[in-house]
Amino acid sequence: MITSATIFGLCGAALIGLGLYGFVTQVHLLRRLLAFNVIGSGIFLLFGATAARTPTGATDPVPQALIITGIVVALAATALGVGLVLAYVRISGKACLPEDADTIDGGPHPSSHEDPPE
Amino acid sequence: MILSLALVALVAVPLLAALLAVVVPRRGALIALLGVAGIATALVVLVPALVRQGVLSLSIGGWNAPLGITLRLDGLGLAFLSMVATVMAAVLVSARPQFAARAGSGETRSQWAFWPLALLLWSALNVAFLSRDLFNLYVALELLTVAAVALVAIEGKAGSLAAGLRYMMFALAGSLAYLLGVALLYAGHGTLDLTLLAAQGIGSGRSGGTAAADLIAAGLITAGLAVKTALFPFHAWLPPAHSGAPAPASAMLSALVPKASFLILIRLWFEALPELASPVLLTLLGALGAAAVLFGSVLALRQSRLKLIVAYSTVAQIGYLFLVFPLAGGDSFAQPWAAGAWTGAVFQALSHGLAKAAMFLCAGVWIIAVGHDRLDGMRGLATATPMTAFAFALAAVSLVGLPPSGGFTAKYLMLTSAFASGQVVWGAVLVVGGLLSAAYLYRPLALAFAKADTPTFAPVSRRLQLVPLLLALAAITLGLASQTPFSLIQIGRPASAVEGLE
């Protein structure tokens, strides 16, 4: 029988896979930051699922504490990332790194060309 | 009591100083100096205690591991803490002309932000050297990354923002790999404390959990840390990030930041999971290190800007550090040569920190004098700024590994181990890497000492020139008086290789 912990664990693994795909394939920096958050959520879900698998059967509270800390850390990193992306878009008008802009011919999303925020 | 206080102060003082520097405008430089004084006091208290009593431990808040976090000061940690304190003091002093708010004019954003970021970076480094908890180390690495990325982008130009973002993308990927590994390790063993993990004997067959899960967890953690250390082939972010930042920030980024993740790798493979280290894995780490030495050096030869040469040199010098894994890890840890290789790698990390910080500060002086850092503008700089040229040459002596510098002690110890263990390939890497570094550092030095027709350089204050000279002299002193640091870093080191090649 599949326990709920296993389902949560598999969902976490699926999120990590999806996020990793996005992180590697997308060149738009905001999308990559979002992909980073999807991977992070997957890891937290997986981590939470492991808390149910103690030898005694009682739920282990430590992963919850670690996940909360991890979410705060991910939030701080994402905030800095978004701030940097905004600053970069204001100056360069592009939302992807120079080396990616060269290979994808100016960015993957036609919408990112139209009106960068002032 | 006083010792616990000093131990906590190493983390708390820079953290509090950073917060203070955020809320008190225009006083960042002064607050940073107070932070230096606080850390120096704590280290002065801790050094004799460590020598007298051996390893010092503190369970924060009275909570013991596995629930609480343990801070543990050993000789290895103290050596890194002292090196970082020396470099930070130098950097914070030489950042004053550029980042201290001037009387009568407003404070720019970078003048406000530099001081708290530098202090946060320092706090994160000190946690990384002291903490025994893998998740606490994750938080420290994240704080380190956030502060470092912000320092790269501090000038807000398009180039430095792009470099910061690229650095951030690599670092975030590394953090996620590390975090996933930590989650898997916890799932298998129910603790993240390095000492408790070591007690479980993971990899020896006695422990719970399956060997495959342990290997995947350790592999993910190692890959994450390798990205953050900028090990080849994850080094692409480093040169633009380190060369694009202002010189004092570059000095911190290049000399200090990679050392934190490297030290965690050392603790992981030599203290927590020594029995999990298979020869294939150790050889792979060594091979990546060797590739970094060759690749970084060749690319450094091809650069035409001073700061890029120095940054690519960091890629190469980081490579040497990873030779410690095949030379001293796994089964060879019980061998007599392991102690030499292990100590050599620690010396390499320490002397590289001092010498590389000196070099970036020299580059900062020359950028003030010339206005840019292209090599063609360096002709005749040695006559205009003799102290800086001398400092750069001394730092180069240590990076190349010529006696009597700290770099020489490091490479000598590693070379002896390579030949004693019959792993001649790693010895060849050390020799070729030394020759290549001599070649890429000769180019800027030769130009600086060349005769110039019309030397028109902006004047640079003596104090700004003196700081890198002191740092470079410290790197040389590490070799001249190597006995004291040598015996210091043996305090509390993993047991099986204490008696080494003498």
Side-chain angles (χ1 to χ4, degrees):
Chain A
M1 192 194 111
I2 298 181
T3 63
S4 62
T6 313
I7 295 174
F8 280 124
L10 288 174
C11 283
L15 279 178
I16 295 172
L18 279 173
L20 193 62
Y21 177 77
F23 196 80
V24 173
T25 57
Q26 299 294 323
V27 296
H28 194 286
L29 288 164
L30 201 55
R31 285 174 177 250
R32 292 179 79 176
L33 277 177
L34 286 174
F36 159 75
N37 277 280
V38 172
I39 304 176
S41 305
I43 293 174
F44 295 141
L45 198 57
L46 189 72
F47 206 174
T50 63
R53 293 180 41 179
T54 52
T56 55
T59 309
D60 181 0
V62 173
Q64 297 177 17
L66 301 187
I67 290 167
I68 292 170
T69 315
I71 289 173
V72 175
V73 169
L75 175 78
T78 309
L80 175 67
V82 171
L84 285 178
V85 172
L86 280 177
Y88 185 62
V89 167
R90 276 191 203 115
I91 289 186
S92 71
K94 290 206 182 76
C96 45
L97 290 173
E99 60 267 31
D100 295 326
D102 290 344
T103 52
I104 315 285
D105 191 37
H109 309 294
S111 61
S112 69
H113 281 292
E114 284 168 5
D115 46 355
E118 71 276 18
Chain B
M1 181 61 205
I2 185 98
L3 290 179
S4 314
L5 213 60
L7 208 53
V8 172
L10 287 177
V11 179
V13 163
L15 202 58
L16 290 175
L19 296 177
L20 201 62
V22 170
V23 292
V24 183
R26 306 176 62 85
R27 291 283 177 273
L30 182 69
I31 293 166
L33 284 187
L34 290 178
V36 172
I39 297 276
T41 315
L43 285 174
V44 166
V45 172
L46 287 167
V47 171
L50 185 79
V51 172
R52 215 171 39 241
Q53 311 175 2
V55 174
L56 304 168
S57 287
L58 173 71
S59 297
I60 296 171
W63 294 89
N64 289 321
L67 208 54
I69 295 165
T70 309
L71 295 185
R72 182 168 174 275
L73 179 72
D74 53 8
L76 178 63
L78 185 76
F80 276 81
L81 286 164
S82 313
M83 184 272 282
V84 167
T86 312
V87 170
M88 285 302 295
V91 165
L92 292 174
V93 166
S94 51
R96 282 177 76 95
Q98 196 173 352
F99 289 108
R102 281 168 195 78
S105 64
E107 194 180 35
T108 63
R109 191 183 52 176
S110 58
Q111 283 175 343
W112 169 77
F114 177 82
W115 305 101
L117 287 173
L119 289 161
L120 277 179
L121 189 93
W122 197 356
S123 184
L125 285 165
N126 285 359
V127 179
F129 299 148
L130 287 172
S131 177
R132 299 293 289 176
D133 183 273
L134 282 173
F135 191 82
N136 190 228
L137 288 169
Y138 166 74
V139 177
L141 283 173
E142 288 303 283
L143 181 57
L144 187 66
T145 302
V146 166
V149 167
L151 277 172
V152 168
I154 196 166
E155 287 186 324
K157 296 178 197 150
S160 55
L161 282 170
L165 277 163
R166 190 182 301 109
Y167 179 11
M168 183 155 206
M169 290 302 151
F170 273 92
L172 289 180
S175 315
L176 291 171
Y178 180 91
L179 186 63
L180 186 56
V182 165
L184 293 177
L185 206 59
Y186 185 84
H189 302 280
T191 180
L192 292 172
D193 185 82
L194 292 172
T195 315
L196 294 180
L197 284 171
Q200 291 196 11
I202 294 168
S204 63
R206 295 185 274 121
S207 66
T210 59
D214 288 337
L215 262 184
I216 293 173
L220 282 167
I221 294 178
T222 305
L225 291 171
V227 174
K228 297 212 169 212
T229 320
L231 175 63
F232 179 89
F234 308 120
H235 64 281
W237 58 268
L238 187 147
H242 287 188
S243 65
S250 304
M252 287 186 278
L253 293 168
S254 223
L256 308 180
V257 174
K259 306 300 180 325
S261 37
F262 175 71
L263 191 76
I264 298 172
L265 269 176
I266 290 268
R267 292 213 193 280
L268 185 75
W269 287 109
F270 288 89
E271 294 177 27
L273 315 168
E275 283 159 323
L276 197 64
S278 64
V280 177
L281 198 119
L282 295 167
T283 311
L284 177 69
L285 282 173
L288 291 179
V293 170
L294 302 176
F295 195 78
S297 304
V298 169
L299 279 174
L301 267 173
R302 295 163 53 97
Q303 303 305 315
S304 56
R305 283 182 46 212
L306 179 63
K307 282 180 88 179
L308 272 173
I309 294 178
V310 183
Y312 272 106
S313 146
T314 298
V315 174
Q317 297 284 328
I318 284 169
Y320 292 120
L321 299 175
F322 284 82
L323 298 183
V324 72
F325 293 102
L327 287 176
D331 291 339
S332 28
F333 198 52
Q335 303 291 340
W337 60 76
W342 190 88
T343 314
V346 175
F347 261 86
Q348 164 70 13
L350 299 176
S351 61
H352 172 253
L354 295 167
K356 191 48 64 75
M359 261 187 189
F360 266 118
L361 292 181
C362 287
V365 168
W366 282 337
I367 287 174
I368 295 175
V370 185
H372 59 81
D373 72 333
R374 289 190 300 279
L375 284 185
D376 52 30
M378 287 183 63
R379 201 167 279 275
L381 265 174
T383 352
T385 54
M387 238 197 298
T388 307
F390 185 47
F392 193 92
L394 283 182
V397 162
S398 185
L399 283 189
V400 174
L402 298 175
S405 63
F408 169 73
T409 312
K411 295 196 177 82
Y412 176 78
L413 285 168
M414 292 179 92
L415 203 58
T416 329
S417 310
F419 285 117
S421 64
Q423 295 171 293
V424 189
V425 182
W426 309 127
V429 170
L430 283 162
V431 173
V432 173
L435 289 174
L436 283 170
S437 57
Y440 64 70
L441 290 171
Y442 172 77
R443 288 170 65 223
L445 270 175
L447 276 170
F449 283 94
K451 272 217 176 86
D453 304 330
T454 51
T456 48
F457 298 121
V460 186
S461 78
R462 293 243 154 190
R463 196 180 65 180
L464 210 55
Q465 290 198 53
L466 183 65
V467 174
L469 182 60
L470 291 177
L471 274 180
L473 282 172
I476 300 288
T477 312
L478 197 62
L480 275 177
S482 55
Q483 192 55 47
T484 316
F486 187 94
S487 49
L488 193 69
I489 60 176
Q490 310 302 329
I491 299 173
R493 63 163 299 178
S496 42
V498 174
E499 63 292 333
L501 300 169
E502 290 302 332

